[in-house]
Amino acid sequence: MSDPKPTYLRDYRPPAYRVTHTELTFDLDPAATRVKARLHLERHPERESGLPLTLDGERLVLKAIAIDGQPLEEDEYALTEDGLTVHRVPERFLLDTEVEIAPEANTALEGLYQSGGMYCTQCEAEGFRRITYYPDRPDVMATFATTVIGDAKREPVLLSNGNPVERGELPGGRHFVTWEDPHPKPCYLFALVAGDLEKVEDRFTTMSGREVTLQIWVEAENLGKTDHAMASLKRAMTWDEQTYGREYDLDRFMIVAVNDFNMGAMENKGLNIFNSAAVLTHPHTATDAAFQRVEGIVAHEYFHNWSGNRVTCRDWFQLSLKEGFTVFRDQCFSADTNSAPVKRIEDVSFFRTAQFAEDAGPTAHPIRPDHYIEITNFYTLTIYEKGAEVVRMLRNLVGWEAFRRGSDRYFERFDGQAVTIEDFVGCMEEASGQDLSQFMRWYSQAGTPEIDAHGEYDYANAEYRLILRQRTPATPDQPDKLPLHIPIRLGLVGTKSGRDLPLTLDGESLGTDAVIHLREDEQEFVFTEVSEAPVPSLARGFSAPVKLRFPYGREDLAFLLANDSDGFNRWDAGQRLAMLALDDLIAAHRNGVEKVMDSRVVEAFRTLLSQDSDDKAVLAEMLTLPSEAYIAEQQPLVDVDAIHAARTFVKQSLAMALRDEFLAVFEANRSEAPYAPEPEQIAARSLKNVALSYLMAIEDEEGIELVQRQFAADHNMTDVRHALTLLVHSSRDDLAEPALRRFGEKWAHDPLVMDQWFSIQVTRPQPDALERVKFLMEHPAFSLKNPNKVRALIGAFAGQNRVNFHRADGEGYRLLADVVIELNRLNPEIAARIITPLTRWQRFDEARQALMKAELERIRAEELSPNVYEVVQKALA
Ligand code: B3K
Ligand code: ZN
């Protein structure tokens, strides 16, 4: 397994042979499943005659092989660790193979595996090669016919892609179902599910009047938890018809919930497989955030039916072609369904914390990488979220109408094909008539562009000069960067009127909110007829995925927070203002100087709290301080203790100064109404719970009483979980312990709630958190084989509990490295993800750097999967 070799984009060639039709038969058995495959193959018209046939295959035991019905002699083919070569084949032929695989031994959860008692598959990106010998690449698209044979009692339900065409009994208590998928697809979209499942069924009539059966398949005990996913699916289907003109194309659409799953969900054609955490909800078990996440993921996977399945990727370097576009689509759907400004704030706040950190670390890569060792490592925030930001910029550059025309063109022209990012952007160019060649650099250049802006108001000439300078820092393999085409949406807010001033640039009048285009390293924009001194509101709505610096004074920020017409930038001004105060306090903490609260932040919060906000969810966001992770992102050197102390100090100072205001907001937003995951209720709950956090910040009698009452009222999981977190994260173990016990006992039977129970405890700032992690790893509800548990316990501790993970004694690092070493054997994909916090060692002091690197070295000394190998190599490069 040592020194795996990279794959390069520049080496792309079409396959020597393509598959036009694939027939599969699975005879299921936990230890010895037999897979028969008949592939209808033909030479690719662009490749020469006489080439050998090479197929991918891993961990397969070959039992039989024949071409056009003739079994092959041993010297006619060769088997290796990763595939099969047949030396001589005709131009068109049938290949029959039979292999044996062991689903029960598959802990990597790629290919065919068992989750609890059921069989399921995960084939993206390269899992199909663990099922049968096949050209496992997305540019080979075939129709599929799949027969699944199972035990009639243990596996009464047998599912695959497309439509069921035949079923019947077999001897020995076995039965079978045959499925046909008429849409040509790459094998990464193949799926099979078999088990004792129950279904919830609904119907949808498409815009052209076709009837579609919708099914959600779950284990019996989860039957009451599918309503929200079903409603979300129907909303998503309607939205895609109305917004993109895209209709569903099969008679049935199925979703299956499985407990052991590496990611959130998978868009297999007609048979989406979901992590149960991404589909099951109930007011008593799922929070508002979970309800919204389910809605977003159901929509995302559904939208892939066009952006990904009907039109797919030529090779895995193009992954963002489907993921960036589909994330953009699901973001817009959620914005349309809930509060658009809050959706944008949440997405950007997450993006600036997590994607910026990825871009600044050793695994930084472009949206379209040019090489990889293990493609599974590239399902990243850069491919997904930055990819979505780039599609959003495109939509804004060409305008929605042209974007929609471009999208229609893309879906029509490339239907049934495997294409590239150039094909997509090309359609946008044709539809808009714009030259997007400079814009394409966003796809090839890694790193977060930094813009330094400054402005001057010239009273005498009524002019405002704005100077913008861009620079993208070096990233691994990319020392030099070219200037990007960066759209900056902006307004000039008059300091007298508090209003957006009319913008005139080069004699052209642009309205009060406009986009300017930064294309050079440095550019000057002179706005004329500016009647009063303005404060600029820049990159409104986060118009480009950049870091934008402007020397705002605290008064400027308080002014924007009160007056900016752009809700997003009002929130951002508040974040910037809080950051200035936090910076001072971090410095004070480090220097051992007494901390003093900035009164401007207090007054800004007072104003926010006194206003009657029409969007409570936005107000809740504005009252939320930047997270420790976000604050850390802004520091040259991360001091986790100083950050924690500074943030806690701000929170407590605000809590003391504005106690009555928080109490009033809390009381005003309490409700006994039955729970519904609807925008108004969610907004009120989030505002109430933000207020409650402040009321608990100083841990006085009244705050404690309110939190305990909310916990005991047991009204819905959002409120219960929030109250539990406040109790467990307080300094009072006498409050934490009984609440944890009660919650743990009540929900011992529900794995998704137990995940929350794990996370809440191991993210507490108290010094026992690390010992708790070790203790909970022995808990009967915990298993290293279940990715949700690993994320809930280890991922939450290492990613969110910054003070304890970065303990000066290095015990946090050691714990994570131990887990990575074990997971490297069990589930390399999860191992390579969970390691992320260790790879960010450059950001810490020397002592911590040494400790983190020592753990990375310890991991490197192991026999590593390509997944972990690639990440560790980069981290130590
Ligand atoms: N396309 C899947 C990704 C699964 C890959 C796991 N190795 C999920 C999604 O983006 O919809
Ligand atoms: Zn996706």
Side-chain angles (χ1 to χ4, degrees):
M1 292 210 281
S2 59
D3 285 23
K5 295 273 166 299
T7 306
Y8 292 91
L9 169 58
R10 60 168 184 267
D11 292 342
Y12 174 82
R13 302 189 71 182
Y17 297 89
R18 58 188 188 192
V19 187
T20 53
H21 183 58
T22 300
E23 296 167 59
L24 300 169
T25 304
F26 290 78
D27 199 346
L28 295 173
D29 180 89
T33 290
R34 286 291 176 116
V35 185
K36 285 188 196 160
R38 167 169 289 186
L39 311 186
H40 297 240
L41 286 142
E42 62 187 31
R43 180 172 66 82
H44 194 289
E46 287 166 31
R47 298 294 305 271
E48 53 274 38
S49 295
L51 291 172
L53 170 74
T54 55
L55 300 175
D56 302 296
E58 285 174 15
R59 292 159 205 244
L60 308 174
V61 182
L62 184 66
K63 295 290 178 181
I65 178 164
I67 284 188
D68 291 330
Q70 257 325 96
L72 296 188
E73 300 294 332
E74 265 185 38
D75 62 353
E76 291 180 294
Y77 66 94
L79 286 175
T80 60
E81 283 265 278
D82 53 12
L84 163 71
T85 302
V86 184
H87 307 306
R88 240 176 245 287
V89 294
E91 296 265 303
R92 269 173 86 96
F93 57 102
L94 289 180
L95 174 75
D96 285 291
T97 60
E98 182 170 353
V99 300
E100 189 175 291
I101 52 178
E104 71 178 3
N106 183 349
T107 57
L109 314 186
E110 281 190 298
L112 177 68
Y113 64 95
Q114 284 193 294
S115 174
M118 74 201 259
Y119 294 87
C120 59
T121 52
Q122 172 55 38
C123 296
E124 188 180 357
E126 298 181 334
F128 196 73
R129 61 188 62 188
R130 294 173 184 221
I131 291 177
T132 192
Y133 288 104
Y134 204 82
D136 187 2
R137 41 188 291 167
D139 58 351
V140 172
M141 296 174 87
T143 51
F144 278 65
T146 305
T147 299
V148 189
I149 304 169
D151 183 279
K153 286 229 168 57
R154 277 195 313 268
E155 293 104 29
V157 176
L158 304 169
L159 308 175
S160 190
N161 318 84
N163 305 307
V165 293
E166 203 188 335
R167 66 177 70 234
E169 306 297 317
L170 294 169
R174 315 267 302 163
H175 71 145
F176 77 95
V177 181
T178 300
W179 294 78
E180 279 181 9
D181 181 359
H183 297 281
K185 66 167 179 291
C187 63
Y188 82 85
L189 292 171
F190 170 80
L192 176 159
V193 171
D196 189 2
L197 297 165
E198 304 277 342
K199 69 165 183 290
V200 176
E201 203 166 273
D202 209 329
R203 300 189 75 70
F204 182 85
T205 308
T206 69
M207 59 187 184
S208 71
R210 288 204 12 259
E211 287 290 310
V212 182
T213 302
L214 310 177
Q215 299 176 335
I216 301 184
W217 293 88
V218 296
E219 288 164 315
E221 68 263 29
N222 292 324
L223 273 174
K225 298 184 179 169
T226 62
D227 291 357
H228 182 66
M230 186 66 89
S232 302
L233 174 60
K234 290 196 276 183
R235 278 197 292 275
M237 293 177 86
T238 304
W239 188 90
D240 213 18
E241 291 184 346
Q242 292 176 346
T243 315
Y244 282 87
R246 297 293 122 199
E247 190 176 354
Y248 188 62
D249 55 7
L250 282 165
D251 299 337
R252 67 163 81 191
F253 184 82
M254 297 174 279
I255 288 178
V256 182
V258 309
N259 291 326
D260 302 277
F261 204 73
N262 283 346
M263 303 265 293
M266 178 65 212
E267 70 266 25
N268 314 302
K269 185 74 188 189
L271 177 56
N272 287 1
I273 298 183
F274 271 60
N275 186 326
S276 51
V279 60
L280 302 178
T281 55
H282 186 278
H284 285 124
T285 62
T287 60
D288 290 335
F291 272 87
Q292 290 181 324
R293 178 161 175 261
V294 165
E295 179 177 61
I297 297 181
V298 167
H300 178 98
E301 305 310 332
Y302 174 73
F303 296 156
H304 267 315
N305 192 53
W306 277 96
S307 49
N309 300 4
R310 292 284 291 245
V311 182
T312 193
C313 303
R314 187 193 72 173
D315 53 73
W316 291 120
F317 296 101
Q318 321 295 327
L319 180 56
S320 196
L321 172 68
K322 75 176 176 79
E323 295 306 343
F325 188 22
T326 305
V327 170
F328 172 67
R329 278 151 54 71
D330 85 57
Q331 287 176 345
C332 294
F333 165 75
S334 294
D336 286 350
T337 313
N338 302 289
S339 155
V342 171
K343 174 68 181 153
R344 190 67 185 140
I345 289 168
E346 284 169 355
D347 287 344
V348 172
S349 162
F350 171 65
F351 185 84
R352 295 201 298 207
T353 306
Q355 198 282 328
F356 279 9
E358 183 167 280
D359 249 351
T363 58
H365 54 275
I367 292 170
R368 178 162 56 192
D370 53 18
H371 67 281
Y372 58 74
I373 288 179
E374 175 52 66
I375 186 58
T376 303
N377 287 337
F378 286 78
Y379 286 75
T380 59
L381 297 166
T382 301
I383 306 285
Y384 275 66
E385 319 297 325
K386 189 173 180 182
E389 290 301 321
V390 169
V391 175
R392 181 179 296 265
M393 284 192 286
L394 264 178
R395 193 262 325 251
N396 292 343
L397 278 175
V398 304
W400 167 250
E401 314 258 293
F403 185 83
R404 170 63 202 272
R405 283 198 306 276
S407 147
D408 287 351
R409 204 176 283 241
Y410 171 72
F411 289 131
E412 275 144 38
R413 182 177 302 166
F414 299 115
D415 192 7
Q417 296 182 43
V419 303
T420 63
I421 286 170
E422 279 79 6
D423 292 324
F424 178 74
V425 178
C427 287
M428 296 302 164
E429 272 190 321
E430 284 178 30
S432 67
Q434 286 191 39
D435 174 3
L436 298 170
S437 46
Q438 187 186 4
F439 186 81
M440 281 301 290
R441 287 179 192 160
W442 279 105
Y443 287 100
S444 54
Q445 210 163 269
T448 305
E450 297 174 359
I451 300 179
D452 273 299
H454 61 270
E456 265 164 43
Y457 181 59
D458 174 350
Y459 284 88
N461 295 308
E463 280 179 4
Y464 187 79
R465 275 158 38 96
L466 181 68
I467 294 151
L468 302 175
R469 237 178 251 127
Q470 63 163 302
R471 178 188 156 264
T472 303
T475 50
D477 303 332
Q478 289 190 339
D480 304 310
K481 311 280 182 172
L482 296 166
L484 294 164
H485 175 186
I486 305 178
I488 309 279
R489 188 159 80 80
L490 82 174
L492 296 177
V493 190
T495 44
K496 275 205 206 105
S497 59
R499 290 252 178 84
D500 281 346
L501 305 174
L503 301 170
T504 308
L505 192 62
D506 301 327
E508 200 191 334
S509 148
L510 304 174
T512 55
D513 181 294
V515 180
I516 57 174
H517 298 271
L518 176 61
R519 298 168 185 271
E520 315 292 330
D521 287 320
E522 180 174 335
Q523 255 169 278
E524 185 181 81
F525 300 87
V526 182
F527 296 92
T528 50
E529 298 160 59
V530 181
S531 56
E532 50 178 306
V535 179
S537 166
L538 300 169
R540 281 181 164 171
F542 196 60
S543 64
V546 301
K547 290 184 184 165
L548 193 147
R549 289 186 286 257
F550 183 90
Y552 287 116
R554 296 184 197 211
E555 273 74 24
D556 296 334
L557 293 171
F559 172 78
L560 286 178
L561 177 62
N563 295 292
D564 201 320
S565 65
D566 182 60
F568 176 87
N569 269 23
R570 246 195 341 269
W571 166 80
D572 196 36
Q575 297 286 299
R576 285 176 190 258
L577 181 61
M579 273 311 304
L580 292 179
L582 284 159
D583 281 340
D584 287 352
L585 292 163
I586 289 166
H589 184 88
R590 290 175 65 84
N591 300 329
V593 176
E594 197 197 337
K595 299 189 188 68
V596 184
M597 182 64 187
D598 182 343
S599 61
R600 271 160 300 209
V601 176
V602 178
E603 291 321 306
F605 268 60
R606 193 190 304 281
T607 311
L608 288 174
L609 284 162
S610 66
Q611 283 161 356
D612 232 1
S613 170
D614 39 342
D615 194 336
K616 291 180 175 183
V618 172
L619 180 56
E621 293 291 344
M622 291 193 175
L623 294 172
T624 303
L625 296 172
S627 68
E628 289 184 17
Y630 180 73
I631 301 169
E633 252 337 277
Q634 314 302 308
Q635 312 296 315
L637 183 83
V638 180
D639 180 337
V640 287
D641 298 313
I643 290 172
H644 181 69
R647 189 174 185 277
T648 306
F649 178 82
V650 172
K651 201 158 184 191
Q652 292 177 338
S653 307
L654 289 167
M656 281 185 289
L658 303 168
R659 180 161 221 310
D660 295 345
E661 286 83 349
F662 284 122
L663 192 59
V665 167
F666 176 77
E667 294 295 349
N669 289 286
R670 252 201 308 203
S671 161
E672 303 286 314
Y675 177 91
E678 280 156 9
E680 282 100 88
Q681 268 204 17
I682 293 175
R685 260 192 300 277
S686 59
L687 183 54
K688 176 201 66 172
N689 282 333
V690 168
L692 187 60
S693 307
Y694 282 100
L695 291 166
M696 181 66 182
I698 40 179
E699 297 180 17
D700 62 352
E701 284 306 310
E702 199 181 354
I704 292 169
E705 167 76 27
L706 291 174
V707 176
Q708 282 190 313
R709 233 190 291 147
Q710 178 162 316
F711 181 67
D714 210 0
H715 190 271
N716 59 75
M717 185 51 103
T718 306
D719 286 348
V720 171
R721 183 186 166 148
H722 188 70
L724 179 64
T725 304
L726 292 176
L727 295 172
V728 174
H729 290 203
S730 77
S731 65
R732 296 272 303 270
D733 281 0
D734 61 318
L735 303 176
E737 288 309 329
L740 272 176
R741 203 172 321 118
R742 184 167 144 197
F743 188 93
E745 279 162 14
K746 175 164 182 193
W747 293 108
H749 63 281
D750 189 316
L752 295 177
V753 184
M754 288 307 276
D755 289 345
Q756 306 183 50
W757 184 75
F758 283 129
S759 294
I760 290 169
Q761 319 185 39
V762 299
T763 50
R764 77 198 296 251
Q766 278 63 45
D768 69 344
L770 190 140
E771 278 63 43
R772 266 176 201 265
V773 178
K774 290 186 178 162
F775 178 74
L776 291 170
M777 283 178 75
E778 307 297 320
H779 192 282
F782 182 78
S783 164
L784 265 186
K785 290 190 180 160
N786 176 265
N788 287 356
K789 295 285 172 272
V790 173
R791 282 185 279 260
L793 196 63
I794 315 296
F797 173 71
Q800 292 162 47
N801 195 337
R802 305 178 66 89
V803 278
N804 283 299
F805 175 65
H806 293 284
R807 264 166 59 155
D809 64 3
E811 283 301 311
Y813 308 146
R814 182 189 306 271
L815 172 81
L816 181 57
D818 286 342
V819 170
V820 168
I821 289 169
E822 218 171 320
L823 276 173
N824 171 62
R825 283 186 286 269
L826 291 171
N827 187 332
E829 177 172 354
I830 299 297
R833 270 175 197 280
I834 207 92
I835 196 174
T836 304
L838 268 183
T839 67
R840 308 275 163 82
W841 54 266
Q842 300 91 334
R843 308 278 291 113
F844 297 86
D845 58 70
E846 273 178 32
R848 286 185 171 87
Q849 287 198 2
L851 290 165
M852 293 170 95
K853 278 198 278 186
E855 294 303 330
L856 287 166
E857 299 281 5
R858 186 158 71 85
I859 296 169
R860 184 156 67 174
E862 296 282 316
E863 176 134 350
L864 292 181
S865 59
N867 310 56
V868 177
Y869 172 86
E870 180 171 41
V871 176
V872 172
Q873 275 305 100
K874 285 182 175 176
L876 288 172

